[in-house]
Amino acid sequence: ETNTLPFHPFEMQQGDILRMEKEHQVLKQQLQEAQEKYEQLQSRSLEETGALKELLKKSVEETEVSKNELDWLHQDLEIKVKKWQREKKENQDNLKALRNTAKKHTDTNDRYSKTIDEKEKQYNVYLNTYLETSNKLANDKVKLEELIKKSEDDCQECVKRAVKAEISVLKNWKETEVWKLNGIAANAEANLKMLKSWSCSASAAPKLKSQVDSWEIFVLNVKKRMEKVEAEYEEKVQMVKNGVRNCLTKMETVELSSP
């Protein structure tokens, strides 16, 4: 009800805990965004790596085909060198074209290999960043959980102290009210005893009988009131022990008019 001061030692100024919770939410959102970005990059890298591998495989196959063709041409030239003498220039041109194609495929393979290396480096950078951020957020989460646990323990301790205080107040009120009623009852019983002693006289007995009856009824009412006060305060004490709040209300004092 009076939470207007910083909660030391967890707050240097009012609202620090709420600010820490907001910062934790922001960090959590950043972690989620970083994780989503990392997953997107990983998926894209896997797709690009797969495509590059397919191209590399295709280039290797084409290179093998080119090498086989080149070997076949060499063998064919050795066997049919006289027959193909006239076509030597054409075959040389074909051989040059095949070599250019092989060189082109080799250059393409080198370029793809460099691209794969760069993608792997970029992937490692993103992975390290993600791991650092994740570890930092995990440490912050542990610290916040420890602070929350300690705050909950302190809150429970305050609740226990408040319950003890309420019970003490209710018992004091009960004892005060019972003490007053005991005093009234003691005075009434003294008066009743005096009237009964006077009524022993035969001449005074008829006159005092009504007063004796009134004082006996008054004493009975005082004792009933005392039992009611004790019962109601004990009920309030039990309610406070059971966790009910707003039980700290004083019973209305009833003035008992003596005869």
Side-chain angles (χ1 to χ4, degrees), residues 1-189:
E1 293 180 353
T2 58
N3 186 18
T4 57
L5 297 176
F7 187 32
H8 294 293
F10 310 106
E11 289 184 327
M12 297 304 295
Q13 59 184 2
Q14 188 179 5
D16 281 350
I17 291 179
L18 293 177
R19 187 159 47 255
M20 289 176 68
E21 290 180 349
K22 291 180 180 177
E23 291 175 358
H24 174 68
Q25 291 297 327
V26 172
L27 289 174
K28 187 175 181 181
Q29 182 66 28
Q30 291 177 354
L31 172 61
Q32 185 177 359
E33 292 175 356
Q35 186 173 3
E36 292 176 354
K37 187 175 181 181
Y38 158 72
E39 292 174 353
Q40 292 174 0
L41 289 173
Q42 186 182 28
S43 176
R44 193 182 307 149
S45 298
L46 291 174
E47 292 176 358
E48 293 177 356
T49 303
L52 291 174
K53 286 182 178 178
E54 290 293 328
L55 290 174
L56 178 61
K57 182 179 179 182
K58 185 177 179 181
S59 298
V60 170
E61 292 175 354
E62 291 178 355
T63 302
E64 291 294 329
V65 171
S66 298
K67 287 182 178 180
N68 292 332
E69 290 179 356
L70 183 60
D71 293 336
W72 177 81
L73 287 173
H74 280 302
Q75 293 174 2
D76 193 63
L77 285 172
E78 290 176 358
I79 296 171
K80 299 181 180 181
V81 64
K82 291 181 180 181
K83 182 180 178 180
W84 296 99
Q85 189 67 36
R86 293 174 299 177
E87 299 177 1
K88 180 179 179 180
K89 189 178 183 300
E90 182 180 354
N91 289 332
Q92 288 177 346
D93 293 339
N94 290 334
L95 178 61
K96 183 179 180 181
L98 289 172
R99 286 178 175 174
N100 289 334
T101 302
K103 185 178 184 301
K104 181 179 180 181
H105 289 318
T106 302
D107 294 340
T108 302
N109 290 338
D110 293 339
R111 186 170 62 254
Y112 288 153
S113 297
K114 291 180 180 178
T115 303
I116 290 172
D117 292 338
E118 292 177 356
K119 293 295 183 181
E120 286 182 351
K121 290 179 181 179
Q122 187 177 12
Y123 165 76
N124 290 329
V125 170
Y126 286 132
L127 178 61
N128 292 332
T129 302
Y130 164 74
L131 292 176
E132 290 176 0
T133 304
S134 178
N135 292 333
K136 182 180 178 182
L137 289 176
N139 293 332
D140 293 341
K141 181 181 178 181
V142 170
K143 292 179 181 178
L144 286 174
E145 287 176 348
E146 290 176 354
L147 289 175
I148 292 171
K149 179 64 170 59
K150 191 173 185 307
S151 299
E152 290 176 348
D153 293 341
D154 292 341
C155 181
Q156 291 296 328
E157 185 63 26
C158 291
V159 170
K160 291 180 181 178
R161 290 171 57 191
V163 169
K164 289 182 180 179
E166 289 186 10
I167 291 174
S168 177
V169 170
L170 290 171
K171 287 184 176 180
N172 287 334
W173 286 348
K174 183 190 75 171
E175 291 173 358
T176 301
E177 192 68 19
V178 169
W179 178 80
K180 291 180 181 178
L181 292 173
N182 274 327
I184 295 173
N187 291 331
E189 288 175 348

Side-chain angles (χ1 to χ4, degrees), residues 188 192 195-196 209-222 259:
L192 181 60
L195 288 173
K196 286 183 177 180
K209 186 178 184 307
S210 61
Q211 295 187 23
V212 169
D213 293 340
S214 297
W215 278 101
E216 286 179 344
I217 294 172
F218 179 72
V219 170
L220 183 60
N221 290 335
V222 171

